[in-house]
Short mmCIF file of all heavy atoms in Angstrom, two decimals:
data_model
loop_
_atom_site.label_atom_id
_atom_site.label_comp_id
_atom_site.label_asym_id
_atom_site.label_seq_id
_atom_site.Cartn_x
_atom_site.Cartn_y
_atom_site.Cartn_z
N MET A 1 -33.03 52.82 -5.12
CA MET A 1 -31.71 52.33 -4.77
C MET A 1 -30.92 52.09 -6.05
O MET A 1 -31.29 51.26 -6.86
CB MET A 1 -31.84 51.03 -3.96
CG MET A 1 -30.57 50.22 -3.91
SD MET A 1 -30.58 48.79 -2.86
CE MET A 1 -31.46 47.61 -3.85
N PRO A 2 -29.79 52.80 -6.25
CA PRO A 2 -28.95 52.52 -7.41
C PRO A 2 -28.34 51.12 -7.31
O PRO A 2 -27.91 50.70 -6.23
CB PRO A 2 -27.87 53.59 -7.33
CG PRO A 2 -28.46 54.68 -6.51
CD PRO A 2 -29.36 53.99 -5.53
N PHE A 3 -28.30 50.43 -8.43
CA PHE A 3 -27.72 49.09 -8.49
C PHE A 3 -26.79 49.05 -9.69
O PHE A 3 -27.21 49.29 -10.82
CB PHE A 3 -28.83 48.05 -8.64
CG PHE A 3 -28.33 46.64 -8.58
CD1 PHE A 3 -28.31 45.96 -7.38
CD2 PHE A 3 -27.88 45.99 -9.71
CE1 PHE A 3 -27.85 44.65 -7.31
CE2 PHE A 3 -27.41 44.69 -9.67
CZ PHE A 3 -27.40 44.02 -8.45
N ILE A 4 -25.53 48.74 -9.45
CA ILE A 4 -24.52 48.68 -10.50
C ILE A 4 -24.02 47.25 -10.56
O ILE A 4 -23.59 46.70 -9.55
CB ILE A 4 -23.36 49.64 -10.21
CG1 ILE A 4 -23.88 51.08 -10.09
CG2 ILE A 4 -22.29 49.52 -11.29
CD1 ILE A 4 -22.89 52.03 -9.49
N ASN A 5 -24.06 46.65 -11.73
CA ASN A 5 -23.62 45.26 -11.92
C ASN A 5 -22.48 45.26 -12.92
O ASN A 5 -22.64 45.67 -14.06
CB ASN A 5 -24.78 44.40 -12.43
CG ASN A 5 -24.44 42.94 -12.49
OD1 ASN A 5 -23.29 42.54 -12.43
ND2 ASN A 5 -25.46 42.12 -12.62
N ILE A 6 -21.31 44.77 -12.47
CA ILE A 6 -20.13 44.70 -13.32
C ILE A 6 -19.75 43.24 -13.49
O ILE A 6 -19.67 42.51 -12.51
CB ILE A 6 -18.95 45.46 -12.66
CG1 ILE A 6 -19.31 46.91 -12.44
CG2 ILE A 6 -17.69 45.32 -13.51
CD1 ILE A 6 -18.31 47.65 -11.61
N LYS A 7 -19.53 42.83 -14.71
CA LYS A 7 -19.04 41.48 -14.99
C LYS A 7 -17.61 41.61 -15.50
O LYS A 7 -17.35 42.36 -16.44
CB LYS A 7 -19.93 40.79 -16.01
CG LYS A 7 -21.33 40.53 -15.49
CD LYS A 7 -22.14 39.75 -16.51
CE LYS A 7 -23.59 39.66 -16.16
NZ LYS A 7 -23.92 38.97 -14.96
N THR A 8 -16.70 40.87 -14.87
CA THR A 8 -15.30 40.93 -15.25
C THR A 8 -14.75 39.52 -15.37
O THR A 8 -15.30 38.58 -14.79
CB THR A 8 -14.45 41.68 -14.20
OG1 THR A 8 -14.40 40.90 -13.00
CG2 THR A 8 -15.00 43.05 -13.91
N PRO A 9 -13.68 39.34 -16.10
CA PRO A 9 -13.03 38.03 -16.13
C PRO A 9 -12.54 37.68 -14.72
O PRO A 9 -12.10 38.55 -13.97
CB PRO A 9 -11.84 38.23 -17.08
CG PRO A 9 -12.20 39.41 -17.91
CD PRO A 9 -13.02 40.29 -17.02
N GLU A 10 -12.60 36.42 -14.39
CA GLU A 10 -12.13 35.96 -13.09
C GLU A 10 -10.66 36.33 -12.91
O GLU A 10 -9.85 36.19 -13.82
CB GLU A 10 -12.30 34.44 -13.00
CG GLU A 10 -12.01 33.86 -11.64
CD GLU A 10 -12.33 32.38 -11.59
OE1 GLU A 10 -11.93 31.65 -12.52
OE2 GLU A 10 -12.99 31.97 -10.64
N ALA A 11 -10.34 36.85 -11.74
CA ALA A 11 -8.98 37.23 -11.34
C ALA A 11 -8.45 38.47 -12.05
O ALA A 11 -7.26 38.74 -12.02
CB ALA A 11 -8.00 36.08 -11.51
N ALA A 12 -9.33 39.24 -12.70
CA ALA A 12 -8.87 40.45 -13.39
C ALA A 12 -8.56 41.58 -12.41
O ALA A 12 -7.73 42.45 -12.70
CB ALA A 12 -9.91 40.91 -14.40
N PHE A 13 -9.23 41.58 -11.25
CA PHE A 13 -9.04 42.63 -10.25
C PHE A 13 -8.67 42.02 -8.91
O PHE A 13 -9.19 40.98 -8.52
CB PHE A 13 -10.32 43.46 -10.07
CG PHE A 13 -10.71 44.25 -11.28
CD1 PHE A 13 -11.75 43.83 -12.10
CD2 PHE A 13 -10.04 45.41 -11.62
CE1 PHE A 13 -12.10 44.56 -13.22
CE2 PHE A 13 -10.39 46.15 -12.74
CZ PHE A 13 -11.42 45.72 -13.55
N SER A 14 -7.80 42.72 -8.19
CA SER A 14 -7.46 42.30 -6.83
C SER A 14 -8.58 42.75 -5.89
O SER A 14 -9.46 43.53 -6.27
CB SER A 14 -6.14 42.94 -6.40
OG SER A 14 -6.31 44.35 -6.24
N ARG A 15 -8.53 42.29 -4.66
CA ARG A 15 -9.53 42.73 -3.67
C ARG A 15 -9.48 44.23 -3.47
O ARG A 15 -10.51 44.89 -3.36
CB ARG A 15 -9.31 42.02 -2.34
CG ARG A 15 -9.74 40.59 -2.37
CD ARG A 15 -9.60 39.94 -1.02
NE ARG A 15 -10.02 38.56 -1.16
CZ ARG A 15 -10.22 37.75 -0.17
NH1 ARG A 15 -10.05 38.18 1.07
NH2 ARG A 15 -10.60 36.52 -0.37
N ALA A 16 -8.28 44.77 -3.43
CA ALA A 16 -8.14 46.22 -3.25
C ALA A 16 -8.74 46.97 -4.44
O ALA A 16 -9.39 48.01 -4.26
CB ALA A 16 -6.67 46.59 -3.08
N GLN A 17 -8.55 46.47 -5.65
CA GLN A 17 -9.12 47.12 -6.83
C GLN A 17 -10.64 47.03 -6.82
O GLN A 17 -11.33 47.99 -7.20
CB GLN A 17 -8.55 46.50 -8.10
CG GLN A 17 -7.09 46.85 -8.35
CD GLN A 17 -6.50 46.06 -9.48
OE1 GLN A 17 -6.71 44.85 -9.61
NE2 GLN A 17 -5.74 46.75 -10.33
N LYS A 18 -11.17 45.90 -6.37
CA LYS A 18 -12.64 45.77 -6.28
C LYS A 18 -13.19 46.75 -5.25
O LYS A 18 -14.21 47.40 -5.50
CB LYS A 18 -13.03 44.34 -5.90
CG LYS A 18 -12.78 43.34 -6.99
CD LYS A 18 -13.15 41.95 -6.49
CE LYS A 18 -12.53 40.87 -7.32
NZ LYS A 18 -12.76 39.55 -6.75
N ALA A 19 -12.51 46.88 -4.12
CA ALA A 19 -12.95 47.84 -3.11
C ALA A 19 -12.92 49.26 -3.66
O ALA A 19 -13.85 50.05 -3.43
CB ALA A 19 -12.06 47.73 -1.87
N GLU A 20 -11.89 49.57 -4.42
CA GLU A 20 -11.80 50.90 -5.04
C GLU A 20 -12.94 51.11 -6.04
O GLU A 20 -13.52 52.20 -6.10
CB GLU A 20 -10.45 51.07 -5.72
CG GLU A 20 -10.25 52.44 -6.32
CD GLU A 20 -8.89 52.59 -7.00
OE1 GLU A 20 -8.01 51.72 -6.82
OE2 GLU A 20 -8.74 53.58 -7.72
N LEU A 21 -13.26 50.09 -6.82
CA LEU A 21 -14.39 50.19 -7.75
C LEU A 21 -15.69 50.48 -7.01
O LEU A 21 -16.47 51.34 -7.42
CB LEU A 21 -14.54 48.90 -8.55
CG LEU A 21 -13.75 48.76 -9.83
CD1 LEU A 21 -13.90 47.35 -10.38
CD2 LEU A 21 -14.21 49.77 -10.85
N VAL A 22 -15.93 49.74 -5.93
CA VAL A 22 -17.15 49.94 -5.15
C VAL A 22 -17.22 51.37 -4.63
O VAL A 22 -18.24 52.05 -4.75
CB VAL A 22 -17.25 48.91 -4.00
CG1 VAL A 22 -18.38 49.27 -3.05
CG2 VAL A 22 -17.43 47.50 -4.56
N GLN A 23 -16.13 51.85 -4.05
CA GLN A 23 -16.11 53.21 -3.50
C GLN A 23 -16.28 54.26 -4.59
O GLN A 23 -17.05 55.22 -4.43
CB GLN A 23 -14.80 53.44 -2.74
CG GLN A 23 -14.70 52.60 -1.49
CD GLN A 23 -13.30 52.57 -0.91
OE1 GLN A 23 -12.37 53.14 -1.48
NE2 GLN A 23 -13.15 51.90 0.21
N THR A 24 -15.58 54.10 -5.70
CA THR A 24 -15.65 55.08 -6.78
C THR A 24 -17.04 55.13 -7.41
O THR A 24 -17.58 56.22 -7.65
CB THR A 24 -14.58 54.77 -7.85
OG1 THR A 24 -13.29 54.82 -7.24
CG2 THR A 24 -14.65 55.75 -9.00
N LEU A 25 -17.61 53.96 -7.67
CA LEU A 25 -18.93 53.93 -8.30
C LEU A 25 -20.02 54.40 -7.36
O LEU A 25 -20.99 55.05 -7.78
CB LEU A 25 -19.23 52.53 -8.83
CG LEU A 25 -18.33 52.12 -10.00
CD1 LEU A 25 -18.50 50.64 -10.33
CD2 LEU A 25 -18.59 52.99 -11.21
N THR A 26 -19.87 54.11 -6.07
CA THR A 26 -20.82 54.64 -5.09
C THR A 26 -20.75 56.16 -5.07
O THR A 26 -21.78 56.84 -5.10
CB THR A 26 -20.54 54.06 -3.69
OG1 THR A 26 -20.69 52.64 -3.74
CG2 THR A 26 -21.49 54.64 -2.66
N SER A 27 -19.54 56.70 -5.07
CA SER A 27 -19.38 58.15 -5.09
C SER A 27 -19.96 58.77 -6.36
O SER A 27 -20.52 59.87 -6.32
CB SER A 27 -17.90 58.53 -4.96
OG SER A 27 -17.44 58.19 -3.67
N LEU A 28 -19.85 58.06 -7.46
CA LEU A 28 -20.43 58.54 -8.72
C LEU A 28 -21.95 58.67 -8.59
O LEU A 28 -22.54 59.68 -8.99
CB LEU A 28 -20.08 57.60 -9.87
CG LEU A 28 -20.63 57.98 -11.23
CD1 LEU A 28 -20.03 59.28 -11.73
CD2 LEU A 28 -20.38 56.85 -12.22
N MET A 29 -22.58 57.66 -8.01
CA MET A 29 -24.04 57.71 -7.81
C MET A 29 -24.42 58.85 -6.87
O MET A 29 -25.40 59.55 -7.10
CB MET A 29 -24.56 56.38 -7.26
CG MET A 29 -24.49 55.22 -8.22
SD MET A 29 -25.53 55.45 -9.68
CE MET A 29 -24.30 55.77 -10.93
N VAL A 30 -23.61 59.05 -5.83
CA VAL A 30 -23.86 60.15 -4.89
C VAL A 30 -23.76 61.49 -5.62
O VAL A 30 -24.55 62.40 -5.37
CB VAL A 30 -22.90 60.08 -3.69
CG1 VAL A 30 -22.94 61.36 -2.86
CG2 VAL A 30 -23.23 58.86 -2.82
N SER A 31 -22.81 61.61 -6.55
CA SER A 31 -22.66 62.87 -7.28
C SER A 31 -23.88 63.18 -8.14
O SER A 31 -24.19 64.34 -8.39
CB SER A 31 -21.39 62.85 -8.14
OG SER A 31 -21.53 62.02 -9.28
N TYR A 32 -24.59 62.14 -8.58
CA TYR A 32 -25.81 62.33 -9.38
C TYR A 32 -27.05 62.52 -8.53
O TYR A 32 -27.89 63.36 -8.82
CB TYR A 32 -26.04 61.14 -10.32
CG TYR A 32 -25.24 61.19 -11.59
CD1 TYR A 32 -24.02 60.53 -11.69
CD2 TYR A 32 -25.68 61.91 -12.70
CE1 TYR A 32 -23.28 60.57 -12.84
CE2 TYR A 32 -24.94 61.97 -13.86
CZ TYR A 32 -23.74 61.30 -13.93
OH TYR A 32 -23.00 61.35 -15.08
N PHE A 33 -27.18 61.71 -7.49
CA PHE A 33 -28.44 61.65 -6.75
C PHE A 33 -28.40 62.25 -5.36
O PHE A 33 -29.42 62.37 -4.70
CB PHE A 33 -28.91 60.19 -6.64
CG PHE A 33 -29.13 59.53 -7.97
CD1 PHE A 33 -28.30 58.51 -8.39
CD2 PHE A 33 -30.16 59.93 -8.81
CE1 PHE A 33 -28.49 57.89 -9.62
CE2 PHE A 33 -30.36 59.33 -10.04
CZ PHE A 33 -29.52 58.32 -10.45
N GLY A 34 -27.23 62.57 -4.87
CA GLY A 34 -27.10 63.15 -3.54
C GLY A 34 -26.69 62.11 -2.51
O GLY A 34 -26.79 60.90 -2.72
N GLU A 35 -26.25 62.61 -1.37
CA GLU A 35 -25.69 61.77 -0.31
C GLU A 35 -26.69 60.75 0.24
O GLU A 35 -26.29 59.71 0.77
CB GLU A 35 -25.18 62.67 0.82
CG GLU A 35 -24.30 61.98 1.83
CD GLU A 35 -23.02 61.39 1.24
OE1 GLU A 35 -22.36 62.03 0.41
OE2 GLU A 35 -22.68 60.26 1.65
N THR A 36 -27.97 61.00 0.08
CA THR A 36 -28.97 60.09 0.64
C THR A 36 -28.94 58.70 0.01
O THR A 36 -29.44 57.74 0.61
CB THR A 36 -30.40 60.66 0.50
OG1 THR A 36 -30.66 60.92 -0.87
CG2 THR A 36 -30.56 61.94 1.30
N VAL A 37 -28.35 58.56 -1.19
CA VAL A 37 -28.32 57.24 -1.83
C VAL A 37 -27.12 56.39 -1.40
O VAL A 37 -27.11 55.19 -1.66
CB VAL A 37 -28.36 57.33 -3.38
CG1 VAL A 37 -29.59 58.05 -3.86
CG2 VAL A 37 -27.09 57.93 -3.93
N ARG A 38 -26.14 56.99 -0.74
CA ARG A 38 -24.92 56.25 -0.39
C ARG A 38 -25.22 54.94 0.34
O ARG A 38 -24.75 53.87 -0.05
CB ARG A 38 -23.95 57.10 0.42
CG ARG A 38 -22.62 56.38 0.68
CD ARG A 38 -21.63 57.24 1.44
NE ARG A 38 -21.26 58.45 0.74
CZ ARG A 38 -20.35 58.53 -0.22
NH1 ARG A 38 -19.71 57.45 -0.62
NH2 ARG A 38 -20.08 59.69 -0.80
N PRO A 39 -26.02 54.94 1.42
CA PRO A 39 -26.24 53.68 2.14
C PRO A 39 -27.10 52.67 1.37
O PRO A 39 -27.19 51.51 1.77
CB PRO A 39 -26.92 54.11 3.43
CG PRO A 39 -27.46 55.47 3.19
CD PRO A 39 -26.64 56.08 2.10
N HIS A 40 -27.69 53.09 0.29
CA HIS A 40 -28.59 52.22 -0.46
C HIS A 40 -28.03 51.79 -1.82
O HIS A 40 -28.69 51.07 -2.57
CB HIS A 40 -29.94 52.91 -0.68
CG HIS A 40 -30.55 53.40 0.59
ND1 HIS A 40 -31.06 52.55 1.53
CD2 HIS A 40 -30.67 54.65 1.09
CE1 HIS A 40 -31.49 53.25 2.56
NE2 HIS A 40 -31.27 54.53 2.31
N THR A 41 -26.82 52.25 -2.14
CA THR A 41 -26.21 51.92 -3.43
C THR A 41 -25.58 50.53 -3.37
O THR A 41 -24.78 50.24 -2.48
CB THR A 41 -25.15 52.97 -3.81
OG1 THR A 41 -25.80 54.24 -3.92
CG2 THR A 41 -24.49 52.63 -5.14
N MET A 42 -25.94 49.69 -4.32
CA MET A 42 -25.41 48.33 -4.39
C MET A 42 -24.51 48.23 -5.60
O MET A 42 -24.90 48.59 -6.72
CB MET A 42 -26.56 47.33 -4.54
CG MET A 42 -26.12 45.92 -4.87
SD MET A 42 -25.24 45.10 -3.56
CE MET A 42 -26.58 44.53 -2.58
N VAL A 43 -23.28 47.76 -5.39
CA VAL A 43 -22.34 47.49 -6.48
C VAL A 43 -22.03 46.00 -6.43
O VAL A 43 -21.52 45.50 -5.43
CB VAL A 43 -21.04 48.31 -6.35
CG1 VAL A 43 -20.08 47.99 -7.48
CG2 VAL A 43 -21.35 49.81 -6.32
N LEU A 44 -22.36 45.29 -7.49
CA LEU A 44 -22.14 43.85 -7.57
C LEU A 44 -21.09 43.58 -8.63
O LEU A 44 -21.26 43.95 -9.80
CB LEU A 44 -23.44 43.13 -7.92
CG LEU A 44 -23.36 41.63 -8.14
CD1 LEU A 44 -22.94 40.92 -6.85
CD2 LEU A 44 -24.70 41.10 -8.61
N ILE A 45 -19.99 42.97 -8.21
CA ILE A 45 -18.93 42.61 -9.15
C ILE A 45 -18.98 41.10 -9.33
O ILE A 45 -18.71 40.35 -8.39
CB ILE A 45 -17.55 43.05 -8.62
CG1 ILE A 45 -17.53 44.57 -8.42
CG2 ILE A 45 -16.45 42.62 -9.60
CD1 ILE A 45 -16.30 45.09 -7.71
N GLU A 46 -19.35 40.67 -10.52
CA GLU A 46 -19.44 39.25 -10.83
C GLU A 46 -18.23 38.84 -11.66
O GLU A 46 -17.93 39.48 -12.67
CB GLU A 46 -20.71 38.95 -11.62
CG GLU A 46 -21.99 39.16 -10.83
CD GLU A 46 -23.19 38.77 -11.65
OE1 GLU A 46 -23.58 37.59 -11.59
OE2 GLU A 46 -23.72 39.66 -12.35
N GLU A 47 -17.57 37.78 -11.24
CA GLU A 47 -16.43 37.27 -11.98
C GLU A 47 -16.86 36.09 -12.84
O GLU A 47 -17.47 35.15 -12.36
CB GLU A 47 -15.33 36.84 -11.02
CG GLU A 47 -14.72 38.00 -10.27
CD GLU A 47 -13.54 37.59 -9.43
OE1 GLU A 47 -13.72 36.72 -8.57
OE2 GLU A 47 -12.46 38.14 -9.64
N VAL A 48 -16.54 36.19 -14.12
CA VAL A 48 -16.88 35.14 -15.08
C VAL A 48 -15.64 34.27 -15.28
O VAL A 48 -14.55 34.78 -15.53
CB VAL A 48 -17.32 35.76 -16.43
CG1 VAL A 48 -17.66 34.68 -17.43
CG2 VAL A 48 -18.50 36.71 -16.21
N LYS A 49 -15.81 32.97 -15.15
CA LYS A 49 -14.68 32.04 -15.31
C LYS A 49 -14.10 32.13 -16.72
O LYS A 49 -14.80 32.43 -17.67
CB LYS A 49 -15.12 30.61 -15.03
CG LYS A 49 -15.43 30.36 -13.58
CD LYS A 49 -15.50 28.88 -13.31
CE LYS A 49 -15.77 28.62 -11.86
NZ LYS A 49 -14.63 28.90 -11.00
N ASP A 50 -12.80 31.88 -16.81
CA ASP A 50 -12.16 31.84 -18.12
C ASP A 50 -12.92 30.92 -19.06
O ASP A 50 -13.34 29.82 -18.67
CB ASP A 50 -10.71 31.35 -18.01
CG ASP A 50 -9.73 32.49 -17.86
OD1 ASP A 50 -10.13 33.65 -18.03
OD2 ASP A 50 -8.56 32.21 -17.58
N GLY A 51 -13.08 31.36 -20.29
CA GLY A 51 -13.79 30.57 -21.28
C GLY A 51 -15.29 30.71 -21.18
O GLY A 51 -16.01 30.12 -21.98
N GLY A 52 -15.77 31.51 -20.24
CA GLY A 52 -17.21 31.68 -20.05
C GLY A 52 -17.76 32.92 -20.72
O GLY A 52 -18.88 33.33 -20.43
N TYR A 53 -17.01 33.51 -21.61
CA TYR A 53 -17.46 34.70 -22.31
C TYR A 53 -16.72 34.80 -23.63
O TYR A 53 -15.68 34.19 -23.83
CB TYR A 53 -17.24 35.96 -21.46
CG TYR A 53 -15.81 36.11 -20.97
CD1 TYR A 53 -14.93 36.94 -21.64
CD2 TYR A 53 -15.35 35.41 -19.87
CE1 TYR A 53 -13.61 37.06 -21.21
CE2 TYR A 53 -14.04 35.52 -19.43
CZ TYR A 53 -13.17 36.35 -20.10
OH TYR A 53 -11.89 36.47 -19.67
N GLY A 54 -17.28 35.56 -24.52
CA GLY A 54 -16.64 35.72 -25.82
C GLY A 54 -17.36 36.74 -26.67
O GLY A 54 -18.37 37.30 -26.26
N ARG A 55 -16.85 36.93 -27.87
CA ARG A 55 -17.44 37.88 -28.81
C ARG A 55 -17.10 37.41 -30.21
O ARG A 55 -15.98 36.96 -30.48
CB ARG A 55 -16.88 39.28 -28.56
CG ARG A 55 -17.47 40.33 -29.48
CD ARG A 55 -16.83 41.69 -29.28
NE ARG A 55 -15.44 41.61 -29.74
CZ ARG A 55 -14.41 42.19 -29.13
NH1 ARG A 55 -14.59 42.87 -28.03
NH2 ARG A 55 -13.20 42.07 -29.60
N ALA A 56 -18.05 37.50 -31.10
CA ALA A 56 -17.85 37.19 -32.52
C ALA A 56 -17.22 35.80 -32.71
O ALA A 56 -16.22 35.65 -33.40
CB ALA A 56 -17.00 38.27 -33.19
N ASP A 57 -17.79 34.82 -32.05
CA ASP A 57 -17.36 33.42 -32.17
C ASP A 57 -16.01 33.11 -31.55
O ASP A 57 -15.46 32.04 -31.76
CB ASP A 57 -17.36 32.95 -33.63
CG ASP A 57 -18.73 33.02 -34.27
OD1 ASP A 57 -19.73 32.84 -33.54
OD2 ASP A 57 -18.81 33.25 -35.49
N VAL A 58 -15.43 34.05 -30.80
CA VAL A 58 -14.14 33.83 -30.16
C VAL A 58 -14.36 33.77 -28.65
O VAL A 58 -14.89 34.69 -28.05
CB VAL A 58 -13.15 34.97 -30.49
CG1 VAL A 58 -11.83 34.77 -29.75
CG2 VAL A 58 -12.92 35.06 -31.99
N VAL A 59 -13.94 32.66 -28.03
CA VAL A 59 -14.03 32.51 -26.58
C VAL A 59 -12.76 33.08 -25.96
O VAL A 59 -11.65 32.79 -26.41
CB VAL A 59 -14.20 31.01 -26.20
CG1 VAL A 59 -14.17 30.84 -24.70
CG2 VAL A 59 -15.49 30.47 -26.80
N PHE A 60 -12.93 33.91 -24.94
CA PHE A 60 -11.79 34.59 -24.33
C PHE A 60 -11.32 33.90 -23.06
O PHE A 60 -12.11 33.35 -22.30
CB PHE A 60 -12.16 36.03 -23.96
CG PHE A 60 -12.45 36.91 -25.13
CD1 PHE A 60 -13.68 37.52 -25.25
CD2 PHE A 60 -11.50 37.14 -26.11
CE1 PHE A 60 -13.96 38.34 -26.32
CE2 PHE A 60 -11.77 37.96 -27.19
CZ PHE A 60 -13.00 38.56 -27.29
N THR A 61 -10.02 34.00 -22.84
CA THR A 61 -9.41 33.68 -21.55
C THR A 61 -8.48 34.83 -21.20
O THR A 61 -7.92 35.48 -22.09
CB THR A 61 -8.62 32.35 -21.58
OG1 THR A 61 -7.63 32.43 -22.60
CG2 THR A 61 -9.54 31.17 -21.86
N LEU A 62 -8.35 35.09 -19.92
CA LEU A 62 -7.52 36.20 -19.46
C LEU A 62 -6.05 35.78 -19.47
O LEU A 62 -5.68 34.81 -18.82
CB LEU A 62 -7.94 36.62 -18.04
CG LEU A 62 -7.33 37.87 -17.49
CD1 LEU A 62 -7.78 39.09 -18.30
CD2 LEU A 62 -7.71 38.05 -16.03
N PRO A 63 -5.19 36.49 -20.21
CA PRO A 63 -3.77 36.14 -20.22
C PRO A 63 -3.17 36.28 -18.81
O PRO A 63 -3.58 37.14 -18.02
CB PRO A 63 -3.15 37.19 -21.15
CG PRO A 63 -4.29 37.68 -21.99
CD PRO A 63 -5.50 37.61 -21.10
N GLU A 64 -2.24 35.45 -18.51
CA GLU A 64 -1.61 35.43 -17.18
C GLU A 64 -1.07 36.79 -16.80
O GLU A 64 -1.16 37.21 -15.64
CB GLU A 64 -0.49 34.38 -17.16
CG GLU A 64 -0.04 34.02 -15.78
CD GLU A 64 -1.12 33.39 -14.91
OE1 GLU A 64 -1.92 32.59 -15.43
OE2 GLU A 64 -1.15 33.69 -13.70
N ALA A 65 -0.54 37.51 -17.74
CA ALA A 65 0.05 38.83 -17.45
C ALA A 65 -0.97 39.84 -16.94
O ALA A 65 -0.62 40.82 -16.28
CB ALA A 65 0.72 39.39 -18.71
N TYR A 66 -2.27 39.61 -17.21
CA TYR A 66 -3.31 40.53 -16.80
C TYR A 66 -4.04 40.09 -15.54
O TYR A 66 -4.96 40.76 -15.09
CB TYR A 66 -4.33 40.72 -17.94
CG TYR A 66 -3.74 41.42 -19.13
CD1 TYR A 66 -3.45 40.72 -20.29
CD2 TYR A 66 -3.45 42.78 -19.10
CE1 TYR A 66 -2.90 41.34 -21.40
CE2 TYR A 66 -2.90 43.42 -20.19
CZ TYR A 66 -2.63 42.70 -21.33
OH TYR A 66 -2.08 43.32 -22.41
N ARG A 67 -3.65 38.98 -14.97
CA ARG A 67 -4.31 38.49 -13.75
C ARG A 67 -3.85 39.32 -12.55
O ARG A 67 -2.67 39.64 -12.41
CB ARG A 67 -4.01 37.02 -13.52
CG ARG A 67 -4.63 36.15 -14.57
CD ARG A 67 -4.45 34.68 -14.26
NE ARG A 67 -4.95 33.89 -15.37
CZ ARG A 67 -6.23 33.60 -15.55
NH1 ARG A 67 -7.13 34.01 -14.70
NH2 ARG A 67 -6.60 32.90 -16.59
N ALA A 68 -4.79 39.63 -11.69
CA ALA A 68 -4.48 40.38 -10.47
C ALA A 68 -3.77 39.48 -9.48
O ALA A 68 -3.98 38.27 -9.45
CB ALA A 68 -5.76 40.91 -9.85
N THR A 69 -2.94 40.08 -8.69
CA THR A 69 -2.29 39.34 -7.62
C THR A 69 -2.82 39.91 -6.31
O THR A 69 -2.65 41.10 -6.03
CB THR A 69 -0.76 39.49 -7.67
OG1 THR A 69 -0.42 40.86 -7.67
CG2 THR A 69 -0.21 38.84 -8.93
N ASP A 70 -3.49 39.08 -5.54
CA ASP A 70 -4.06 39.54 -4.26
C ASP A 70 -3.05 39.53 -3.18
O ASP A 70 -2.16 38.80 -3.07
CB ASP A 70 -5.24 38.64 -3.85
CG ASP A 70 -6.58 39.28 -4.18
OD1 ASP A 70 -6.63 40.50 -4.33
OD2 ASP A 70 -7.55 38.53 -4.28
#
């Protein structure tokens, strides 16, 4: 069973964008492994709260302009 785990900043994607990600990534797995994996492909989108991630000693927050509107 293919398993795809995506971590994104909280509110970075709308529900429609998340649904599109799930469909697109599932189709990608099908293109590699064949149609038999479609019902068994798991796509998990985890949202990380602002300030809960960073790089090189810098803690990130998502700017308001980049927040999705549902």
